[in-house]
Amino acid sequence: KFLCGIDLGGTKINTVIITNKGEMVSSYTLPTLAHEGPEKVIQRMKETVYKVLEDAKLDVSDLEGIGVASPGPLDAKKGIVLNPPNLPGWIDITLAKILEDEFKIPVKLQNDANCAALAEYYFGAGNRTKNFVYITISTGIGGGAIIDGKLYDGANSNAAEFGHASINFDGEKCQCGSYGCFEMYASGTALANFAAKEIEKGRESVIKDIAKDGKITAKDVFEAYKMGDNLAKELIEREAFYLGVGIANIIMNYNPEVIALGGGVANGFDILYPIMIKTVEERCYKASFEGCKIVKAKLGQNSGAIGAAVLNIVFSK
Ligand code: ADP
Ligand code: BMX
Ligand code: ZN
C-alpha cells in the first residue's frame, strides 16, 4: 500500500504520496491562503489529496492512511489543531476526523517539525540511527527528537520545541513568554534583525544593496558574506556561535548519534560549520558529544509531508 502525507503550512499546502520505502510517487502544492479560514483551507487540503491520487493513478483504497503535519500547538492523540498563530481562525479544529469522514481511511496528525524529524530519520540524513535529532533553522527554530528509534513527542506532542529553550536568562522577552530564547538569537529572522540593526546604526555593507525593497533577509546576509562583506562575516560568525550554544544544550539533553540541520538557514551549513562545531566542542561534555555527527538535512521542502505520510506506519497498531 501507499502512504499520503499533507504538510499544512502557513503559506502552502504540500501533499505527497510515497511508497513505504520513501520513494516519491506524486506531489502537489497549493497556496494555503490562511486568511480565508479553516473551512476553505481544509477544502484545499482535500483537493491536493485527490490531485496526488489522480497523478499517481491510484484510488483512496490504495492508501494505508493519510498523515498531516501541522503547525503547533495541537493535540496529536486526538487529532485536533488547537490554535496555531499562523493559521487565523483555527480553534480546536478536529482535522483528523474531518479528513477521515471525507476519505474513510485512518488519518494521523503530528507537529510539523516532528514530522520532518521522522522523515529525515527514515529516509534522509538520520539514516535510522536510533538516537537522532532534527533541528529546523528557518523563520523560527523548531525540531524533533527520535529516542531509541521512536519519535519522542512528549505528553501532548509538544516536545522538542528547541527554539524556545532559553540561552540567555537576561534576554529580551520572546513571544512565547520566556526570555532570551534560542530562536531570538539564531533563527533566520534573528540574523536578519541583527543585520538591520547594524545597518541602521550606519554600518557600511553590501547587504542593503542586495535586500529587495529594503527588507533584509538571512539569505541576503549569506549572499553578502560570499561577496566578502565585513559586516556579513561578523554576523554569520555570530550566528554560527549562537547555533553552537543552542546545539550544545540539545546534545547535553539527548546525547544523539546524529543531528541534522534543516530549514532555509541550513543552506549555509558549510559556512556555519567550523565555528558552530568549535562552540559545540567547547560547551558539551566530551562524553555526550563523542561520536555525534552534525550534518545537513537531506529532504528539503518535502520533509514535513514525507514525515506525515510515515505517521501511518509509525503509529498504526
Ligand atoms: P519557513 O520558516 O517558512 O519554514 P524556510 O525554511 O525557507 O521557511 O526558512 C526561511 C529562512 O531561511 C529565512 O530567514 C530565509 O532568509 C532563510 N534562507 C532561505 N534561503 C536561504 C539560503 N539559501 N541561505 C541562507 N538562508 C536562507
Ligand atoms: C517556532 C514555532 C515552532 C516551529 C518553529 C520553526 C510557531 C508557529 N512555530 O518556534 O513550533 O517548529 O518556529 O518553524 O509558533 P518554521 O515555520 O520557522 O520552520
Ligand atoms: Zn520563546
Side-chain angles (χ1 to χ4, degrees), residues 2-21:
F2 295 87
L3 304 165
C4 178
I6 310 171
D7 186 359
L8 169 61
T11 52
K12 60 187 194 308
I13 301 165
N14 182 28
T15 300
V16 302
I17 291 179
I18 59 169
T19 66
N20 57 14
K21 294 198 175 67

Side-chain angles (χ1 to χ4, degrees), residues 163 261 294:
L261 305 187
I294 303 179

Side-chain angles (χ1 to χ4, degrees), residues 195-271:
K197 260 191 213 153
E198 288 303 317
I199 285 164
E200 243 167 64
K201 280 194 231 156
R203 275 288 297 267
E204 274 311 310
S205 163
V206 298
I207 296 172
K208 63 175 182 300
D209 307 322
I210 298 169
K212 287 185 204 81
D213 317 317
K215 209 176 165 345
I216 297 163
T217 67
K219 193 174 176 202
D220 301 332
V221 182
F222 277 90
E223 258 161 51
Y225 175 95
K226 288 173 199 157
M227 292 163 71
D229 186 73
N230 277 326
L231 175 61
K233 182 166 183 288
E234 266 173 48
L235 291 167
I236 280 174
E237 286 176 359
R238 207 68 199 152
E239 166 74 20
F241 168 72
Y242 293 140
L243 280 175
V245 173
I247 291 171
N249 287 338
I250 293 167
I251 291 168
M252 293 309 287
N253 280 296
Y254 292 91
N255 184 21
E257 291 156 85
V258 177
I259 297 179
L261 305 187
V265 176
N267 283 304
F269 184 90
D270 294 341
I271 295 169

Side-chain angles (χ1 to χ4, degrees), residues 85-86 111-113 136 138-143 161 164 183:
N86 54 358
N111 174 283
D112 47 12
T136 173
S138 28
T139 306
I141 292 181
E161 284 285 2
H164 300 284
E183 76 174 30

Side-chain angles (χ1 to χ4, degrees), residues 163-164 174-178 181 183-184:
H164 300 284
C174 176
Q175 53 175 355
C176 78
S178 184
C181 292
E183 76 174 30
M184 299 172 75

